[in-house]
Amino acid sequence: MTAELSKGLGMDNRKILFRSTNRRAPAVSFEQALLKGIAPDGGLYMPEEIPRLTPEEILKFSDAQYYEIAFEVSRRFLAGEIPDEDLKRIVMDAYNYEIPLEHVYNNNYIMRLDQGPTASFKDFAARMMGRLMQYFLNRNNGKLLILTATSGDTGSAIANAFYGLNNVKVLVLFPEKEVTARQRKQMTTLGKNVSIVALDGKFDDCQTLVKQAFGDSELDYLNLSSANSINIGRLIPQTMYYFYSFAKLRSGDPGEQVVFSVPSGNFGDLCGGLIAKNMGLPVKKFVVATNENDEFPKFVKSGVYEKIEPSLNCISSAMNVGHPSNIPRLVQLYGGNMDENGSISNAPDMDLIRKDMYAVSISDTDTEVMISDAYKEHGLLLEPHGSVGWAGLQRYLEDEEVNKNQLCISLETAHPAKFPEKIREILSFDPKLPPSLQGLEEKKESYEHLPTGYRAFKEFLKNNY
Ligand SMILES: *Cc1c(COP(=O)(O)O)cnc(C)c1O
């Protein structure tokens, strides 16, 4: 490490290495893990050790701006790879919007992660990852083709985060019938370095094609990289809002703990929270709320993991995932091993998983009922994903007879205006558009259609890049 780089890194300036969950590939630097996306052995990169923040450091966050917390958290992982001044610039530029913490009743809050440019919580991860990639690529004169599968919100967050960058091209695959018109328009109206392909299939089919392309050595020349939630560059930014919300809402009592409810699909958001807990954030419980794709709640109950194929189409469409790609990371955090296909070679500590997490599946009917009840009882406006999280939290509070002073924070992961049809049907009004979603209707769309097979997709890649 040069003297310049080591300056100001704090107490711990050892470089953290990143290792594949399959453990058959060498450990790499953050830069390599970020630009590669998936490890050569098909596993997911995880930090070899998780840095810790002291209670005093976490206490100091109470007076900090979001970007300052983002800086302090991320520099623990990026020590020795990016000078502090550059990292600070990146987080200030990425996090230039509000994070409302809305009081609902008792000590229960909604954290709205929907104020970014695509009105989805995925902006948090995508904007930072895009800026980090651009930073490293500029430094090395590199180029990348980002290949990403989306069930709705990832695609637009990634496309917007990378839009206009000169050394990165973006290709997004989406299941045509599973995204709303508005979600589609957020991707297909961009142009420039962003291309969009619609598949006549499900999200899992899109994900499969992306994985096949990554494993295809004939496509090495494309310098493919992934921006799905398997990229470690998306995981680290998903730890920060857990610190932020706790810091802003804590009462100040020593030993205070917080409950988070996380509406979960691919489990990147939850893994971010689990990493925050491992860094020292005092989390009493994660409510892991899924829609009817209930492979995880079943796993927690029985200890047996079975993916759901094909995944079920629920109204919280961004969570229609029958085999969440981040589950191997979760299993590793609890001392086990799972490969990318979901087979477990070494069981995680199920008792500890049950102690840390309350996993619950919320039906579409209950999701709709909760959108209605939350609005009528508390004036709380939720869209389907946030409603799954909030409904999961209510189950947990009843089931475990939780004290009404317990601080609980439920994540709202998209803006209700992204789901106007549902809101209109249930609440009989149109949610107001945030500024970021205005003017979409008039913009011109451009995208291609492909069948679900790999051959056609590979031809498309070879012909266009
Ligand atoms: C992606 C997404 C989720 C699920 O997040 P994961 O990290 O995939 O579990 C929840 N809500 C919305 C709106 C999303 O776009």
Side-chain angles (χ1 to χ4, degrees), residues 131-192:
R131 282 159 180 74
L132 287 169
M133 282 181 165
Q134 189 185 24
Y135 177 83
F136 288 119
L137 289 170
N138 278 343
R139 206 156 76 175
N140 315 328
N141 269 324
K143 279 203 189 316
L144 279 185
L145 172 60
I146 303 280
L147 197 54
T148 193
T150 186
S151 54
D153 284 340
T154 312
S156 54
I158 297 294
N160 277 274
F162 286 89
Y163 175 68
L165 302 186
N166 51 11
N167 41 18
V168 190
K169 287 185 175 157
V170 178
L171 177 60
V172 181
L173 273 73
F174 75 99
E176 178 140 42
K177 298 194 187 77
E178 291 184 10
V179 311
T180 66
R182 198 166 273 160
Q183 284 177 320
R184 191 186 67 234
K185 283 185 185 147
Q186 285 183 291
M187 308 184 273
T188 57
T189 56
L190 288 169
K192 283 195 184 169

Side-chain angles (χ1 to χ4, degrees), residues 172-238:
V172 181
L173 273 73
F174 75 99
E176 178 140 42
K177 298 194 187 77
E178 291 184 10
V179 311
T180 66
R182 198 166 273 160
Q183 284 177 320
R184 191 186 67 234
K185 283 185 185 147
Q186 285 183 291
M187 308 184 273
T188 57
T189 56
L190 288 169
K192 283 195 184 169
N193 58 329
V194 173
S195 308
I196 311 293
V197 167
L199 281 199
D200 184 21
K202 295 180 162 289
F203 168 69
D204 295 343
D205 298 318
C206 300
Q207 184 121 302
T208 302
L209 288 191
V210 167
K211 284 186 181 158
Q212 276 178 293
F214 277 109
D216 187 339
S217 56
E218 283 177 41
L219 297 178
D220 282 351
Y221 77 97
L222 291 173
N223 263 336
L224 293 180
S225 184
S226 151
N228 272 10
S229 54
I230 54 181
N231 194 304
I232 187 70
R234 276 187 57 188
L235 204 61
I236 292 170
Q238 292 181 150

Side-chain angles (χ1 to χ4, degrees), residues 20 26 32 34 64 106 133 175-176 182 197 201 209 220 235 253 256 259 281 300 362 373 402 406 417 429 457:
S20 163
Q32 288 167 304
L34 173 78
N106 290 352
M133 282 181 165
E176 178 140 42
R182 198 166 273 160
V197 167
L209 288 191
D220 282 351
L235 204 61
D253 293 345
E256 183 173 12
V259 170
L281 186 66
V300 171
I362 304 294
D373 287 356
V402 177
Q406 171 64 50
F429 66 85
F457 180 57

